[in-house]
Amino acid sequence: MSVPASQSPARTSHRRRRTRLAAGAVLLTLATTACSSLGRTSVGTITYSIGPETSVMLTSPKVRGCHKLPPSGTTDLYNNTLVDMVMYRTPDCTGKDTTYIGSRLANNVAPKAAPWRSYSFVH
């Protein structure tokens, strides 16, 4: 079998390997982009109580949007995530009566104050 000098087996193999590496890099880039668009999470847990005997723990809620709490609300919360949050007394994350709770901090409502009914993350 005769092969032209410009297309020797070693050169062809090298060219194929380079093409495969480039294709792999493109696929990796596309996969990374697709996964990052799924929505960031807060990475960690949020723990709050509803009533004297019921505690709720959420694991890594999404960072975007308003998160509603049960209609009765909560009076204490522990933010054990990597993202700061804002607590609201309304169920739709509106109003001026808010409380800022930093990452890995806890907070309690004053005895005669209204409970928190929603929260959002600072991002």
Side-chain angles (χ1 to χ4, degrees):
M1 170 173 125
S2 74
V3 177
S6 64
Q7 292 187 1
S8 67
R11 186 173 260 183
T12 303
S13 173
H14 181 68
R15 187 175 296 151
R16 283 184 189 156
R17 183 174 33 202
R18 202 177 324 156
T19 303
R20 287 180 186 154
L21 283 173
V26 169
L27 288 174
L28 181 61
T29 302
L30 289 173
T32 304
T33 303
C35 289
S36 67
S37 67
L38 294 176
R40 291 185 340 161
T41 62
S42 56
V43 184
T45 59
I46 294 173
T47 307
Y48 61 89
S49 63
I50 48 175
E53 297 179 17
T54 306
S55 182
V56 177
M57 180 183 286
L58 302 173
T59 302
S60 299
K62 292 199 181 225
V63 171
R64 293 186 179 260
C66 178
H67 302 272
K68 293 183 180 186
L69 294 169
S72 62
T74 186
T75 56
D76 61 69
L77 180 126
Y78 179 56
N79 177 13
N80 191 27
T81 69
L82 300 177
V83 184
D84 297 350
M85 58 194 308
V86 177
M87 302 299 295
Y88 298 87
R89 307 234 185 251
T90 60
D92 58 355
C93 296
T94 60
K96 295 183 180 184
D97 189 11
T98 63
T99 301
Y100 186 93
I101 302 177
S103 173
R104 310 227 176 189
L105 293 176
N107 201 311
N108 295 322
V109 172
K112 293 189 180 189
W116 296 309
R117 292 197 165 85
S118 62
Y119 64 92
S120 64
F121 289 100
V122 178
H123 58 95

Short mmCIF file of all heavy atoms in Angstrom, two decimals, residues 49 74-78 89 99 101 106-111 113 116:
data_model
loop_
_atom_site.label_atom_id
_atom_site.label_comp_id
_atom_site.label_asym_id
_atom_site.label_seq_id
_atom_site.Cartn_x
_atom_site.Cartn_y
_atom_site.Cartn_z
N SER A 49 -39.61 26.60 62.27
CA SER A 49 -40.68 25.89 62.98
C SER A 49 -42.03 26.45 62.59
O SER A 49 -42.16 27.63 62.30
CB SER A 49 -40.48 25.98 64.49
OG SER A 49 -40.56 27.32 64.89
N THR A 74 -43.79 31.58 60.32
CA THR A 74 -42.82 31.07 61.29
C THR A 74 -42.27 32.22 62.12
O THR A 74 -42.23 33.37 61.66
CB THR A 74 -41.67 30.31 60.60
OG1 THR A 74 -40.84 29.71 61.61
CG2 THR A 74 -40.81 31.21 59.73
N THR A 75 -41.84 31.90 63.31
CA THR A 75 -41.28 32.93 64.19
C THR A 75 -39.79 32.71 64.45
O THR A 75 -39.17 33.52 65.12
CB THR A 75 -42.03 32.95 65.54
OG1 THR A 75 -41.97 31.64 66.11
CG2 THR A 75 -43.47 33.38 65.34
N ASP A 76 -39.24 31.64 63.95
CA ASP A 76 -37.79 31.44 64.07
C ASP A 76 -37.27 30.70 62.85
O ASP A 76 -37.97 29.89 62.25
CB ASP A 76 -37.44 30.68 65.36
CG ASP A 76 -38.04 29.30 65.42
OD1 ASP A 76 -37.61 28.43 64.64
OD2 ASP A 76 -38.94 29.09 66.25
N LEU A 77 -36.04 31.03 62.49
CA LEU A 77 -35.46 30.47 61.28
C LEU A 77 -33.95 30.39 61.44
O LEU A 77 -33.33 31.27 62.01
CB LEU A 77 -35.80 31.35 60.08
CG LEU A 77 -35.24 30.83 58.76
CD1 LEU A 77 -36.34 30.69 57.74
CD2 LEU A 77 -34.17 31.76 58.26
N TYR A 78 -33.38 29.31 60.92
CA TYR A 78 -31.93 29.14 60.88
C TYR A 78 -31.51 29.00 59.43
O TYR A 78 -31.91 28.06 58.75
CB TYR A 78 -31.48 27.93 61.70
CG TYR A 78 -29.99 27.71 61.68
CD1 TYR A 78 -29.11 28.72 62.08
CD2 TYR A 78 -29.46 26.51 61.25
CE1 TYR A 78 -27.74 28.52 62.06
CE2 TYR A 78 -28.09 26.31 61.23
CZ TYR A 78 -27.24 27.32 61.64
OH TYR A 78 -25.90 27.12 61.60
N ARG A 89 -43.05 39.67 56.07
CA ARG A 89 -44.26 39.38 56.86
C ARG A 89 -45.46 39.10 55.94
O ARG A 89 -46.51 38.69 56.41
CB ARG A 89 -44.58 40.54 57.79
CG ARG A 89 -43.37 40.91 58.64
CD ARG A 89 -43.67 40.91 60.09
NE ARG A 89 -42.50 41.39 60.83
CZ ARG A 89 -41.76 40.61 61.58
NH1 ARG A 89 -42.05 39.35 61.69
NH2 ARG A 89 -40.73 41.09 62.23
N THR A 99 -36.66 41.45 57.41
CA THR A 99 -35.52 41.10 58.26
C THR A 99 -34.47 40.42 57.40
O THR A 99 -34.78 39.51 56.65
CB THR A 99 -35.94 40.15 59.39
OG1 THR A 99 -36.95 40.77 60.17
CG2 THR A 99 -34.76 39.79 60.28
N ILE A 101 -31.32 38.09 57.06
CA ILE A 101 -30.65 37.00 57.79
C ILE A 101 -29.47 36.53 56.96
O ILE A 101 -29.63 35.98 55.88
CB ILE A 101 -31.60 35.83 58.08
CG1 ILE A 101 -32.81 36.33 58.88
CG2 ILE A 101 -30.88 34.74 58.84
CD1 ILE A 101 -33.83 35.29 59.16
N ALA A 106 -29.12 32.73 62.52
CA ALA A 106 -30.50 32.45 62.94
C ALA A 106 -31.15 33.74 63.40
O ALA A 106 -30.47 34.72 63.71
CB ALA A 106 -30.50 31.43 64.07
N ASN A 107 -32.50 33.73 63.43
CA ASN A 107 -33.22 34.89 63.90
C ASN A 107 -34.57 34.46 64.43
O ASN A 107 -35.15 33.50 63.96
CB ASN A 107 -33.40 35.90 62.76
CG ASN A 107 -33.68 37.29 63.28
OD1 ASN A 107 -34.52 37.49 64.13
ND2 ASN A 107 -32.94 38.25 62.75
N ASN A 108 -35.06 35.19 65.43
CA ASN A 108 -36.38 34.94 66.03
C ASN A 108 -37.20 36.22 65.96
O ASN A 108 -36.66 37.32 66.12
CB ASN A 108 -36.26 34.52 67.50
CG ASN A 108 -35.55 33.20 67.64
OD1 ASN A 108 -35.74 32.30 66.83
ND2 ASN A 108 -34.74 33.08 68.67
N VAL A 109 -38.50 36.07 65.80
CA VAL A 109 -39.42 37.20 65.79
C VAL A 109 -39.66 37.63 67.24
O VAL A 109 -39.75 36.79 68.14
CB VAL A 109 -40.75 36.80 65.12
CG1 VAL A 109 -41.80 37.87 65.27
CG2 VAL A 109 -40.52 36.48 63.66
N ALA A 110 -39.79 38.93 67.46
CA ALA A 110 -40.10 39.43 68.79
C ALA A 110 -41.45 38.86 69.24
O ALA A 110 -42.31 38.55 68.41
CB ALA A 110 -40.15 40.95 68.77
N PRO A 111 -41.68 38.71 70.55
CA PRO A 111 -42.87 38.02 71.06
C PRO A 111 -44.21 38.50 70.49
O PRO A 111 -45.07 37.69 70.20
CB PRO A 111 -42.80 38.26 72.56
CG PRO A 111 -41.36 38.42 72.84
CD PRO A 111 -40.78 39.10 71.63
N ALA A 113 -44.69 40.39 67.66
CA ALA A 113 -44.59 40.76 66.25
C ALA A 113 -45.24 39.70 65.36
O ALA A 113 -45.38 38.54 65.76
CB ALA A 113 -43.14 40.94 65.85
N TRP A 116 -43.10 35.65 60.03
CA TRP A 116 -42.65 35.75 58.64
C TRP A 116 -43.51 34.80 57.81
O TRP A 116 -43.82 33.68 58.23
CB TRP A 116 -41.19 35.36 58.51
CG TRP A 116 -40.25 36.27 59.21
CD1 TRP A 116 -40.19 37.64 59.10
CD2 TRP A 116 -39.23 35.90 60.12
NE1 TRP A 116 -39.18 38.12 59.91
CE2 TRP A 116 -38.57 37.07 60.53
CE3 TRP A 116 -38.79 34.68 60.61
CZ2 TRP A 116 -37.51 37.07 61.41
CZ3 TRP A 116 -37.73 34.67 61.49
CH2 TRP A 116 -37.09 35.86 61.88
#
